């Protein structure tokens, strides 16, 4: 049972299948068998031939049902389709199942059950009445999770029973599918952050895109070039066919840094500080990709996603939707790291030419705040959303001195050039995004990239 291939129920051959069928006797079947044996024993003791016949009939009926069910040659194929296969947390997805009888005999009563993790909802069960030869049945069910992650669906199980209900056989298909639940995202306003360049245009740190407008510098003709790009003046000058080059315009970069250190966060669950940081990183990635930036996701352990292309940035070597999908898949399973510092992430940023840096930090001690401060020197602009996880778990009375230490870390980041924003529980990223654009030295000019203005749209529907 899979979206990629058929499966069958004709594997009931041999002694192993017969033993499996005997173990599949229902309560009714076992009762008939026990009653038949008891009647046969009583008939032997009492010398009653009629009672012996009754006992043999009672015992034979479930055994005959077992043999008939084992020798049944049903061939049933199935496909599963997820719509969509990637959804945001809290959003429903629909699973479509299609069963087809490819044998020459009609099936009996089929009970269909799909295995799903408990976080997606109850296990779906369906009863399919007689399916004619060559016939098909389609059913569907919905799944939903408030927790991000990757959840397996399947394998599908079919239960076949005889008309008398004496025996049931269960067959499991081997394949399964995976539903990816990505973090929630929210639209962000198109404000311009400190040190930010437009997706295409002027800026301190930029990389080359793949193609653009015509350049006046010609090159030799290659097989497959469009003849409309032939530069006739250069052709006449060099005596060979020349075509106009394609310019490689500048493309701004953005690195989204997610702090996943276990010691930097307290609490757990959908409303925890760590989940807010993951959701904020996801919203930022989507927003910057839609504005035309070449984007990468970086974690405190030094892993960069997608990791392909120049500098590991997405958007310059692959389609933005594919890049967003890859980074969202990474965030869907992002978990706490056991590392205690940000030094590995700093080493990745030491190469310079990193463009805009947007970081989501948990609790920072004095040492890690100093490492984060040095990161500012490796970027054209830097915005930090700092979460004081103590405030997320102690809403009423935070520990003494916690606020002072937190403010000291923020002041250190701001003095080093960061636009540092303190994040309190219960507020969305869009508000803090505007707050970051309103800090001193930050303009509120809207950025129009490629002729597109406005905010983003969250990936609530996912990708198929």
């Amino acid at each position: 049972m899979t979206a990629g291939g058929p499966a069958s129920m004709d594997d009931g051959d041999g002694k192993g299948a017969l033993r499996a069928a005997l173990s599949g006797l229902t309560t009714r079947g076992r009762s008939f068998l026990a009653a038949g044996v008891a009647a046969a024993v009583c008939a032997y003791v009492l010398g009653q031939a009629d009672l012996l016949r009754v006992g043999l009939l009672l015992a034979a009926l479930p055994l005959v049902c077992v043999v008939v069910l084992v020798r049944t040659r049903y061939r049933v194929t199935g496909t599963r389709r997820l719509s969509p296969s990637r959804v945001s947390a809290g959003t429903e997805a629909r699973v479509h199942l299609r069963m087809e009888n490819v044998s020459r005999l009609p099936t009996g009563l089929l009970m269909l059950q799909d295995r799903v993790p408990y976080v997606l909802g109850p296990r779906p069960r369906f009863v399919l009445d007689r399916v004619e030869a060559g016939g098909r049945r389609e059913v569907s069910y919905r799944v939903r999770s408030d927790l991000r992650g990757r959840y397996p669906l399947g394998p599908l199980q079919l239960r076949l029973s005889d008309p008398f209900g004496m025996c049931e056989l269960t067959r499991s298909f081997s394949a399964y599918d995976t539903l990816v639940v990505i973090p929630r995202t929210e639209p962000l306003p198109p404000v311009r952050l400190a040190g930010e360049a437009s997706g295409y245009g002027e800026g301190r740190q930029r990389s080359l895109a793949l193609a653009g407008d015509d350049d006046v510098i010609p090159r030799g003709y290659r097989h497959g070039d469009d003849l409309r790009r032939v530069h006739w003046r250069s052709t006449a000058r060099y005596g060979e066919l020349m075509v106009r080059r394609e310019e490689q315009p500048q493309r701004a970069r953005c690195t989204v840094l997610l702090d996943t250190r276990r010691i930097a966060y307290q609490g757990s669950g959908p409303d925890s500080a760590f989940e807010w940081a993951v959701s904020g990183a996801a919203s930022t990635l989507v927003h910057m990709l839609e504005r035309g930036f070449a984007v990468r996701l970086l974690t405190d352990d030094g892993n960069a996603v997608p990791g392909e292309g120049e500098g590991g940035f997405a958007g310059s070597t692959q389609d933005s939707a594919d890049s967003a999908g890859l980074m969202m898949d990474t965030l869907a399973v992002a978990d706490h790291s056991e590392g205690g510092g940000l030094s590995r992430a700093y080493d990745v940023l030491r190469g310079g030419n990193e463009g805009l840096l947007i970081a989501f930090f948990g609790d920072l001690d004095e040492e890690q705040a100093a490492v984060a401060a040095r990161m500012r020197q490796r970027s054209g602009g830097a915005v930090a959303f700092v979460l004081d996880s103590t405030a997320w778990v102690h809403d009423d009375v935070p520990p003494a001195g916690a606020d002072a230490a937190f403010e000291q870390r923020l002041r250190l980041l701001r003095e080093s050039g960061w636009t540092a924003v303190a994040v309190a529980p219960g507020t969305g990223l869009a508000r803090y995004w505007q707050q970051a654009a309103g800090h001193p030295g930050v303009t509120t000019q809207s950025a129009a990239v490629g002729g597109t203005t406005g905010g983003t749209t969250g990936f609530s529907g996912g990708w198929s």
Side-chain angles (χ1 to χ4, degrees):
M1 173 63 184
T2 176
S8 65
M9 290 189 63
D10 62 344
D11 52 351
D13 296 330
K15 296 181 180 180
L18 183 59
R19 286 194 299 267
L22 287 174
S23 65
L25 284 172
T26 62
T27 302
R28 179 184 300 176
R30 295 176 187 272
S31 300
F32 267 70
L33 185 60
V37 172
V41 172
C42 292
Y44 176 77
V45 173
L46 300 176
Q48 297 291 329
D50 294 338
L51 184 58
L52 179 60
R53 296 188 187 96
V54 173
L56 292 177
L57 177 61
L58 291 176
L61 182 58
L63 297 178
V64 170
C65 291
V66 168
V67 174
V68 172
L69 202 59
V70 168
R71 295 180 62 85
T72 301
R73 292 296 184 266
Y74 293 151
R75 291 186 57 85
V76 181
T77 64
T79 57
R80 178 192 287 109
R81 179 172 59 87
L82 304 181
S83 178
S85 61
R86 186 187 289 113
V87 295
S88 296
T91 304
E92 289 186 345
R94 182 168 289 274
V95 183
H96 301 270
L97 305 176
R98 186 176 70 175
M99 309 301 300
E100 184 175 359
N101 182 14
V102 297
S103 63
R104 298 181 180 180
L105 298 175
T107 69
L109 187 68
L110 298 178
M111 286 171 283
L112 183 64
Q113 177 178 280
D114 206 7
R115 293 184 178 180
V116 300
Y118 72 95
V119 295
L120 297 183
R123 181 170 294 183
R125 295 181 175 89
F126 306 94
V127 177
L128 303 180
D129 204 354
R130 179 180 181 272
V131 181
E132 66 279 3
R136 66 181 60 179
R137 299 289 187 272
E138 295 187 5
V139 294
S140 64
Y141 63 93
R142 294 177 296 178
V143 291
R144 180 181 181 274
S145 174
D146 292 327
L147 301 176
R148 56 186 176 82
R150 294 174 61 91
Y151 300 102
L153 300 179
L156 184 70
Q157 289 183 333
L158 283 178
R159 183 175 297 175
L160 179 66
S161 63
D162 65 279
F164 299 102
M166 299 289 181
C167 181
E168 290 182 349
L169 287 181
T170 301
R171 293 289 182 266
S172 296
F173 295 91
S174 59
Y176 63 92
D177 294 287
T178 302
L179 175 69
V180 180
V181 181
I182 63 176
R184 291 184 177 91
T185 59
E186 60 177 303
L188 300 179
V191 296
R192 191 166 182 176
L193 304 176
E196 174 188 338
S198 300
Y200 292 97
E202 297 299 328
R204 291 183 58 186
Q205 306 293 345
R206 299 171 295 189
S207 62
L208 295 180
L210 287 179
D213 299 330
D214 297 338
D215 196 346
V216 296
I217 303 177
R219 62 167 173 82
Y221 175 82
R222 300 169 186 168
H223 180 71
D225 286 339
D226 191 348
L227 292 178
R228 290 175 296 181
R229 304 184 63 84
V230 173
H231 195 266
W232 297 109
R233 181 179 301 176
S234 299
T235 299
R237 177 180 178 181
Y238 293 103
E240 60 177 315
L241 203 57
M242 306 291 290
V243 296
R244 296 185 296 272
R245 290 181 182 269
E246 293 179 344
E247 185 192 27
Q248 296 183 334
Q250 303 287 346
R251 186 164 194 166
R253 290 175 166 181
C254 176
T255 298
V256 178
L257 173 61
L258 175 62
D259 181 8
T260 64
R261 295 171 300 132
R262 185 178 300 274
I263 62 175
Y265 299 94
Q266 300 181 36
S268 60
D271 298 327
S272 64
F274 180 68
E275 292 300 324
W276 191 99
V278 174
S279 178
S283 301
T284 302
L285 289 170
V286 173
H287 179 72
M288 303 309 289
L289 279 172
E290 288 187 349
R291 295 182 61 187
F293 280 74
V295 182
R296 70 174 172 182
L297 172 65
L298 179 64
T299 58
D300 58 285
D301 55 10
N303 293 329
V305 181
E308 298 179 0
E310 184 182 358
F313 287 86
S316 59
T317 59
Q318 53 185 324
D319 184 75
S320 294
D322 294 338
S323 304
L326 180 58
M327 289 183 284
M328 287 296 180
D329 289 347
T330 302
L331 290 176
V333 295
D335 200 359
H336 291 291
S337 67
E338 300 301 331
L342 301 170
S343 57
R344 293 184 179 179
Y346 174 71
D347 291 338
V348 176
L349 296 172
R350 290 180 64 181
N353 195 31
E354 306 300 336
L356 179 64
L357 175 61
I358 302 177
F360 293 84
F361 291 124
D363 293 333
L364 297 172
D365 56 23
E366 185 176 356
E367 179 183 356
Q368 300 310 314
V371 175
R374 292 196 299 271
M375 291 181 182
R376 173 62 182 89
Q377 304 171 2
R378 304 295 177 178
S379 61
V383 178
F385 299 96
V386 187
L387 290 80
D388 182 10
S389 62
T390 304
W392 289 68
V393 296
H394 301 282
D395 294 335
D396 298 332
V397 183
D403 291 341
F406 182 69
E407 290 297 332
Q408 182 181 0
R409 307 294 183 259
L410 287 179
R411 184 167 57 255
L412 176 60
L413 292 178
R414 290 167 181 166
E415 290 175 353
S416 63
W418 283 87
T419 300
V421 180
V423 177
T427 306
L429 177 61
R431 176 180 175 181
Y432 294 117
W433 194 263
Q434 292 178 322
Q435 182 179 347
H439 273 271
V442 182
T443 63
T444 58
Q445 175 184 354
S446 286
V449 181
T452 301
T453 61
T456 66
T457 56
F459 281 74
S460 59
W463 295 266
S464 59

